[in-house]
């Protein structure tokens, strides 16, 4: 179904961060947009305010009338939806065109210049950085992001004049194989989603295939330390990047007084005195990749500097809630061992002589089973680790897989505690903290506003 033929769009899993960006795109086109999600959230509340028709139980009768016409309604679903979902079955049995979220994004990359950001971790921050740089520049862009940009208060950026579209390319369920990027960044290929891929080798091969989808005339910008072997079409340029080495890298890095500056070294044009609007050490590399993409597409040195200096961050990505001499409190979406490692290292660099406590909610039984030793190693950089029970998301429990596995492998000298999620708030009320970080991709983040309020009143 061509976009011009669509009159209504229905989303199964409407509250997902990636799904909601596409919903906003179709609402901007003036279409009827409806959807189902299992639970209400702040994001679904905002979508309803913007005009989306959402309900929260599997009920065919709740589907809007305009979304019950097979000839003019496109149905979009997330891979996390089970195959026996009643509404999904209804659409399948009645001849509707049904697409995954990634298929829709793939269509957009065929009609626009897709600037895609892939990688096990770092892709949300890096794509949001690039989108901000581009949107503030003479080029402008559209963007479908994997997090809520603090600069714009949304995960969807609209331009009526730009042919560029910034897209977060998700490797889960091989979704990014639907895309046809004009250019792509690949930030990391640390093995993940082994419940889908089975082996690390299959995971790396998936990224290799993804690289073959970049259009001739475009470019791949790849972190220089990755194991994967790219498979590029003729006419695709290749660049690498890194912190201190690579076609794009940083020199003259200065981290002091809560600020970070550096010079971007580039094969196109060096950019002096780049200042990070969100001064976190890991954002130096993220910024190098984002600026490389923007510069390759024509952003000027002044536009790069301005974009980086005014970048405000992403909700749940190293997200400071309290920042005083007495107390630092932040949350971070990090849920893979390498992400935890980088997050812990960054916070240690920023607060060298302070006691750092992490409350970590592991995400998925399979990820905990596959990486519990790596989680323990990463968390052991901190002074104190409080572990909650595993957030299952789409999974059923696996016998013998609990947070105890991580707890038992934390290094000697680390203070540690194992609690239930519903014990977190009472613990916060009973304790004082120096530097506290909430880690994980589960639902513990929903308690962050309450935690911040409790801590601020102490």
């Amino acid at each position: 179904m061509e976009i011009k033929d669509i009159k209504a769009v229905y989303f199964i899993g409407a509250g997902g961060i990636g799904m909601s960006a596409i919903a906003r795109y179709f609402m901007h086109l003036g279409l009827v947009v409806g959807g189902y999600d299992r639970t209400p959230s702040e994001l679904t509340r905002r979508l309803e305010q913007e005009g989306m028709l959402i309900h929260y139980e599997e009920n065919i009768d709740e589907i809007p009338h305009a979304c019950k016409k097979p000839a003019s309604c496109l149905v979009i679903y997330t891979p996390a939806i089970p195959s026996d979902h009643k509404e999904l079955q209804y659409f399948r049995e009645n001849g509707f065109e049904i697409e995954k979220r990634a298929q829709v994004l793939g269509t957009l990359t065929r009609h626009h210049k897709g600037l895609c950001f892939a990688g096990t971790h770092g892709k949300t921050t890096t794509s949001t950085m690039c989108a901000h740089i581009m949107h503030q520049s003479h080029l402008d862009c559209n963007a479908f992001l994997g997090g809520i940009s603090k600069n714009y208060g949304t995960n969807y950026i609209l331009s009526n004049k730009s042919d560029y579209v910034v897209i977060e390319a998700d490797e889960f369920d091989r979704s990014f194989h639907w895309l046809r990027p004009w250019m792509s960044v690949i930030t990391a290929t640390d093995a993940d989603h082994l419940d889908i891929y089975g082996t690390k080798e299959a995971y790396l091969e998936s990224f290799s295939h993804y690289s073959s989808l970049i259009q001739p005339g475009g470019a791949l910008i790849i972190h220089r330390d990755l194991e994967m072997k790219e498979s590029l079409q003729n006419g695709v340029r290749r660049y690498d990047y890194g912190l201190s080495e690579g076609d794009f890298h940083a020199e003259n890095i200065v981290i002091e007084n809560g600020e970070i500056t550096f010079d971007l070294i580039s094969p196109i044009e060096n950019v002096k005195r780049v200042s990070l609007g969100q001064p976190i050490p890991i954002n130096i590399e993220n910024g190098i990749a984002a600026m490389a993409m923007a510069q390759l597409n024509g952003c000027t040195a002044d536009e790069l500097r301005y974009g980086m200096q005014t970048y405000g961050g992403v909700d749940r990505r190293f997200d400071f809630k309290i920042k005083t001499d007495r107390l630092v409190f932040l949350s971070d979406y990090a849920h893979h061992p390498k992400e935890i490692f980088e997050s812990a290292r960054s916070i240690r660099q920023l607060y060298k002589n302070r006691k750092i406590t992490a409350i970590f909610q592991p995400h998925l039984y399979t990820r905990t089973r596959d990486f519990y030793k790596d989680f323990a190693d990463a968390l052991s950089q901190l002074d104190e680790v409080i572990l909650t029970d595993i957030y299952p998301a789409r999974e059923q429990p696996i016998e013998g897989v609990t947070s105890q596995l991580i707890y038992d492998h934390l290094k000697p000298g680390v203070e540690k505690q194992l609690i239930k999620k519903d014990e977190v708030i009472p613990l916060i009320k009973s304790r004082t903290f120096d530097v506290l970080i909430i880690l994980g991709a589960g639902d513990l983040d929903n308690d962050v506003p309450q935690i911040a309020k409790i801590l601020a009143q102490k």
Side-chain angles (χ1 to χ4, degrees):
M1 187 182 298
E2 292 290 330
I3 290 178
K4 62 181 176 61
D5 298 324
I6 300 170
K7 300 292 187 293
V9 186
Y10 191 81
F11 290 81
I12 308 178
I17 192 70
M19 295 279 274
S20 60
I22 301 175
R24 285 174 161 136
Y25 167 77
F26 282 114
M27 281 192 284
H28 170 73
L29 295 181
L31 307 183
V32 175
V33 179
Y36 156 88
D37 203 84
R38 185 171 59 182
T39 54
S41 66
E42 176 61 21
L43 186 51
T44 58
R45 184 188 67 79
R46 290 181 61 181
L47 288 170
E48 288 185 87
Q49 288 179 338
E50 293 166 27
M52 188 172 181
L53 307 170
I54 307 179
H55 61 273
Y56 302 95
E57 58 179 292
E58 294 182 41
N59 187 343
I60 295 165
D61 293 336
E62 293 286 339
I63 298 171
H65 179 71
C67 298
K68 289 186 174 181
K69 299 177 180 179
S72 60
C73 178
L74 173 66
V75 178
I76 303 172
Y77 74 103
T78 171
I81 294 294
S83 58
D84 61 353
H85 189 279
K86 292 177 184 176
E87 294 183 12
L88 183 58
Q89 286 183 328
Y90 165 81
F91 288 118
R92 283 177 170 158
E93 290 168 359
N94 287 278
F96 284 79
E97 181 158 343
I98 303 172
E99 293 189 355
K100 292 183 180 179
R101 174 180 66 90
Q103 289 175 266
V104 179
L105 292 176
T107 299
L108 293 174
T109 60
R110 290 172 176 84
H111 290 83
H112 301 278
K113 286 187 174 180
L115 309 182
C116 302
F117 290 77
T120 313
H121 42 82
K123 56 184 176 287
T124 298
T125 297
T126 309
S127 60
T128 306
M129 275 183 176
C130 181
H132 176 62
I133 295 169
M134 297 278 292
H135 191 57
Q136 295 295 315
S137 77
H138 72 284
L139 298 172
D140 203 354
C141 71
N142 302 274
F144 295 85
L145 305 172
I148 302 297
S149 163
K150 289 193 167 186
N151 288 94
Y152 306 103
T154 182
N155 54 350
Y156 171 58
I157 296 174
L158 167 70
S159 169
N160 290 315
K161 63 179 183 179
S162 179
D163 193 38
Y164 292 104
V165 56
V166 175
I167 290 174
E168 180 171 326
D170 187 4
E171 78 276 11
F172 174 70
D173 197 34
R174 297 178 173 84
S175 291
F176 60 171
H177 290 174
W178 291 100
L179 304 177
R180 293 296 180 270
W182 168 243
M183 294 188 186
S184 182
V185 165
I186 300 179
T187 60
T189 54
D190 303 287
D192 197 9
H193 303 301
L194 297 185
D195 55 324
I196 300 292
Y197 288 97
T199 66
K200 176 182 178 180
E201 291 71 26
Y203 187 76
L204 292 174
E205 170 56 32
S206 185
F207 277 91
S208 177
H209 176 69
Y210 168 74
S211 71
S212 74
L213 303 175
I214 299 172
Q215 298 176 30
L220 171 66
I221 307 156
I222 187 169
H223 195 288
R224 68 189 316 274
D225 293 339
L226 304 193
E227 292 183 59
M228 64 163 283
K229 295 180 180 178
E230 60 268 21
S231 177
L232 303 178
Q233 298 187 56
N234 290 333
V236 175
R237 293 163 285 161
R238 181 196 185 278
Y239 302 90
D240 62 10
Y241 77 96
L243 183 63
S244 57
E245 295 182 273
D247 297 314
F248 296 89
H249 66 273
E251 289 184 0
N252 303 319
I253 299 170
V254 178
I255 304 176
E256 61 183 14
N257 300 322
E259 297 182 355
I260 297 177
T261 60
F262 61 93
D263 297 339
L264 173 68
I265 306 304
S266 160
I268 300 167
E269 179 188 1
N270 295 346
V271 183
K272 299 288 187 180
R273 296 288 296 173
V274 175
S275 176
L276 290 183
Q278 196 189 33
I280 302 161
I282 187 58
N283 277 350
I284 300 173
E285 275 195 320
N286 291 335
I288 291 167
M291 286 189 289
M293 176 72 90
Q295 193 179 49
L296 283 169
N297 285 285
C299 283
T300 67
D302 285 342
E303 289 171 340
L304 295 177
R305 269 191 293 265
Y306 179 78
M308 292 302 296
Q309 185 177 2
T310 57
Y311 170 72
V314 185
D315 281 355
R316 297 186 71 179
R317 270 44 173 213
F318 225 86
D319 192 356
F320 285 94
K321 302 299 182 182
I322 300 174
K323 200 173 185 181
T324 68
D325 293 338
R326 181 183 63 84
L327 171 68
V328 174
F329 173 51
L330 66 158
S331 68
D332 194 359
Y333 188 74
H335 57 283
H336 182 278
K338 186 66 183 294
E339 292 172 337
I340 300 282
F341 179 86
E342 294 294 350
S343 184
R345 184 173 70 167
S346 284
I347 200 166
R348 177 61 76 194
Q349 285 179 275
L350 290 171
Y351 303 105
K352 294 182 177 66
N353 300 313
R354 299 179 68 170
K355 181 178 179 181
I356 303 170
T357 300
I359 302 178
F360 175 47
Q361 182 186 37
H363 184 266
L364 300 180
Y365 293 103
T366 52
R367 186 178 283 125
T368 305
R369 177 198 64 198
D370 294 336
F371 301 119
Y372 64 88
K373 291 181 181 178
D374 298 320
F375 277 123
D377 286 345
L379 289 164
S380 292
Q381 297 177 86
L382 305 177
D383 301 297
E384 181 183 20
V385 177
I386 300 166
L387 291 161
T388 76
D389 33 354
I390 295 169
Y391 180 74
R394 58 188 177 271
E395 294 186 340
Q396 296 300 312
I398 299 173
E399 186 175 354
V401 178
T402 69
S403 297
Q404 186 80 39
L405 289 171
I406 301 172
Y407 179 92
D408 290 342
H409 286 81
L410 289 166
K411 292 179 180 178
V414 177
E415 297 178 38
K416 58 184 182 179
Q417 193 173 352
L418 197 60
I419 64 175
K420 297 292 185 184
K421 178 180 173 284
D422 60 10
E423 296 173 322
V424 170
I425 296 298
L427 176 74
I428 296 294
K429 291 179 177 178
S430 69
R431 286 277 310 274
T432 58
F433 299 93
D434 188 3
V435 178
L436 174 64
I437 182 168
I438 303 292
L439 291 168
D443 60 355
L444 181 58
D445 189 76
N446 294 338
D447 293 336
V448 165
Q450 185 181 359
I451 293 170
K453 186 175 180 180
I454 293 167
L455 293 174
Q457 292 172 346
K458 289 193 174 186

